[in-house]
């Protein structure tokens, strides 16, 4: 496993971060003991960076992560880097954005309790809230930094203008954006902004919501409780066209002794503005398959060849909270 300094923080993190979105149930009912085993296996492989969120089951994912990491959190807290996110809440059956100071404080306190720790290393505002001035959210998070509940503050899914507004109140330590071979819009302005302002970048979705796992075919169908079952990007002509790209990438990876997931994750890490990539795992063998990506160095020529393969691909996004 390789490690890096995260942005301008004092955090030394593994370039692979373990993500827990699947533990919240958005990809169907999780097998909790298997996910806990995967977390323990990640530790064995050198992963020290773990990302979760309040909204991943509203306590489910954070509690599971805290239970899996309990030995380290009790006796070797400085050996793990915990990142979580807040700013979403449920109102009936609707998932809403709420970055108000009061809700953020409640979120931090709930997350600490669920995780079983006195502080989180990185707390991130999950989505921009159009109804709350970002300066108010930044001020609330800065206050909790001073209280010792949070070490560093980040945002997720923000553009450069929103980050600049945040930084009028306090230094922004991190950004968590979506980034994968089928979704590259952050390369134009967002990643350069982060590089220029010393903001650590932790990308999510490097496997394009499973598309780059290499396991999908034209016959793939998703359970009703999986958001992909309702997504036009995972059915029809666009899906079939992208599966052709996936097959080309799979051949490219195999010729070099990599798996497709390893290639996909390594590609995100090849961008100099990216510090770490989040990968999820439902079972120990999943993280065993992706963790070696941290050791892969793609050459400039290989990156150009990958760009050529991806010409004509259909961009693949993910759901906003309102679309879950």
């Amino acid at each position: 496993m390789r490690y890096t300094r995260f942005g301008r923080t004092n955090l030394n993190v593994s370039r692979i971060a373990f993500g827990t979105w699947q533990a919240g149930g958005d990809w169907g009912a999780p097998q909790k003991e298997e996910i806990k085993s995967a977390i323990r296996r990640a530790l064995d492989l050198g992963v020290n960076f773990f990302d979760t969120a309040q909204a991943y089951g509203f306590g489910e994912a954070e509690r599971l992560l805290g239970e899996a990491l309990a030995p380290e959190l009790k006796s070797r807290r400085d050996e793990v880097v915990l990142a979580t996110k807040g700013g979403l809440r449920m109102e009936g059956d609707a998932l809403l954005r709420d970055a108000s100071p009061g809700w953020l404080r409640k979120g931090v306190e709930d997350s600490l309790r669920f995780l079983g720790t006195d502080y989180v290393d990185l707390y991130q505002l999950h989505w921009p809230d159009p109804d709350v001035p970002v300066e108010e959210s930044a001020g609330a998070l800065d206050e909790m930094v001073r209280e010792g509940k949070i070490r560093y503050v980040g945002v997720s899914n923000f553009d450069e203008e929103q980050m600049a507004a945040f930084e009028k109140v306090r230094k922004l330590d991190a950004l968590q954006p979506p980034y994968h071979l089928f979704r590259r819009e952050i390369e134009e302005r967002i990643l350069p902004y982060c590089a220029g302002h010393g903001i650590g970048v932790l990308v999510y979705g490097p496997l394009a919501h499973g598309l780059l796992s290499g396991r999908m075919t034209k016959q793939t169908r998703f359970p009703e409780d999986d958001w992909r079952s309702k997504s036009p990007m995972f059915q029809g002509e666009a899906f079939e066209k992208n599966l052709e790209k996936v097959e080309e990438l799979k051949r490219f990876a195999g010729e070099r002794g990599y798996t497709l997931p390893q290639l996909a994750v390594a590609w995100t890490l090849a961008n100099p503005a990216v510090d770490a990539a989040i990968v999820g795992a439902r079972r120990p063998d999943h993280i065993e398959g992706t963790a070696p990506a941290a050791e892969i160095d793609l050459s400039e020529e290989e990156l150009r060849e990958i760009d050529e393969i991806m010409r004509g691909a259909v961009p693949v996004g993910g759901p906003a909270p309102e679309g879950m």
Side-chain angles (χ1 to χ4, degrees):
M1 181 58 60
R2 291 180 181 172
Y3 302 86
T4 189
R5 179 185 178 189
F6 189 69
R8 292 181 184 166
T9 73
N10 290 323
L11 300 174
N12 186 46
V13 302
S14 52
R15 299 210 69 196
I16 300 295
F18 189 103
T20 61
W21 185 23
Q22 69 278 8
D26 289 320
W27 280 8
Q31 299 297 317
K32 295 182 180 180
E33 292 307 313
E34 279 199 324
I35 294 176
K36 286 183 186 179
S37 295
I39 292 168
R40 298 305 304 175
R41 184 63 182 134
L43 283 171
D44 293 340
L45 295 168
V47 173
N48 73 343
F49 201 3
F50 297 86
D51 180 79
T52 187
Q54 174 191 35
Y56 298 168
F58 287 88
E60 291 297 318
E62 289 177 322
R63 188 181 290 110
L64 185 151
L65 181 61
E67 291 173 359
L69 295 177
E72 288 71 27
L73 296 179
K74 289 176 181 176
S75 62
R76 302 188 298 277
R77 177 64 182 86
D78 62 339
E79 293 183 9
V80 294
V81 177
L82 287 181
T84 190
K85 300 178 285 293
L88 297 177
R89 63 178 173 83
M90 294 299 297
E91 189 172 288
D93 293 331
L95 183 60
L96 306 176
R97 307 184 191 196
D98 186 349
S100 62
W103 182 250
L104 289 178
R105 177 168 289 276
K106 183 180 187 310
V108 169
E109 292 171 351
D110 286 347
S111 292
L112 294 176
R113 185 174 71 255
F114 291 137
L115 289 164
T117 185
D118 295 330
Y119 67 90
V120 291
D121 299 282
L122 174 62
Y123 197 84
Q124 302 151 101
L125 189 56
H126 207 149
W127 285 84
D129 182 349
D131 297 325
V132 177
V134 69
E135 294 85 355
E136 287 186 20
S137 305
L141 293 172
D142 188 52
E143 185 176 330
M144 287 183 278
V145 170
R146 294 195 301 270
E147 293 171 2
K149 293 180 170 67
I150 302 169
R151 290 184 66 194
Y152 297 102
V153 171
V155 293
S156 183
N157 304 298
F158 273 47
D159 62 26
E160 68 279 6
E161 293 177 355
Q162 292 161 335
M163 287 189 283
F166 190 104
E167 292 206 291
K168 290 178 182 178
V169 175
R170 86 151 266 136
K171 171 75 176 78
L172 192 56
D173 301 304
L175 172 69
Q176 185 177 139
Y179 189 46
H180 53 73
L181 278 160
F182 290 96
R183 187 170 187 176
R184 302 180 59 170
E185 69 267 21
I186 65 170
E187 293 176 350
E188 185 176 349
R189 297 172 62 184
I190 292 175
L191 288 182
Y193 180 92
C194 290
H197 289 76
I199 297 171
V201 176
L202 170 64
V203 300
Y204 73 84
L207 299 186
H209 312 290
L211 182 58
L212 288 164
S213 69
R215 294 192 295 269
M216 293 183 183
T217 68
K218 295 177 182 179
Q219 288 73 44
T220 296
R221 299 294 180 268
F222 303 96
E224 277 297 311
D225 59 356
D226 186 321
W227 67 267
R228 292 172 296 183
S229 67
K230 306 172 185 65
S231 171
M233 293 169 291
F234 288 91
Q235 52 193 287
E237 186 178 340
F239 185 46
E240 293 185 12
K241 185 171 186 178
N242 282 344
L243 284 175
E244 294 174 2
K245 298 295 183 182
V246 168
E247 287 304 311
E248 290 185 59
L249 290 167
K250 191 185 295 185
R251 285 193 295 272
F252 180 89
E255 289 168 358
R256 288 155 180 80
Y258 313 140
T259 66
L260 175 58
Q262 289 167 0
L263 178 72
V265 175
W267 178 87
T268 68
L269 295 175
N271 191 303
V274 173
D275 295 298
I278 298 172
V279 296
R282 287 174 174 262
R283 303 193 310 266
D285 60 301
H286 290 168
I287 190 64
E288 290 170 354
T290 50
E295 303 287 341
I296 295 173
D297 292 311
L298 295 172
S299 69
E300 290 298 322
E301 177 60 29
E302 287 175 320
L303 292 171
R304 283 192 292 269
E305 289 182 50
I306 292 170
D307 284 346
E308 190 61 34
I309 290 172
M310 295 304 295
R311 287 186 185 277
V314 181
V316 172
E322 299 82 356
M324 296 296 288

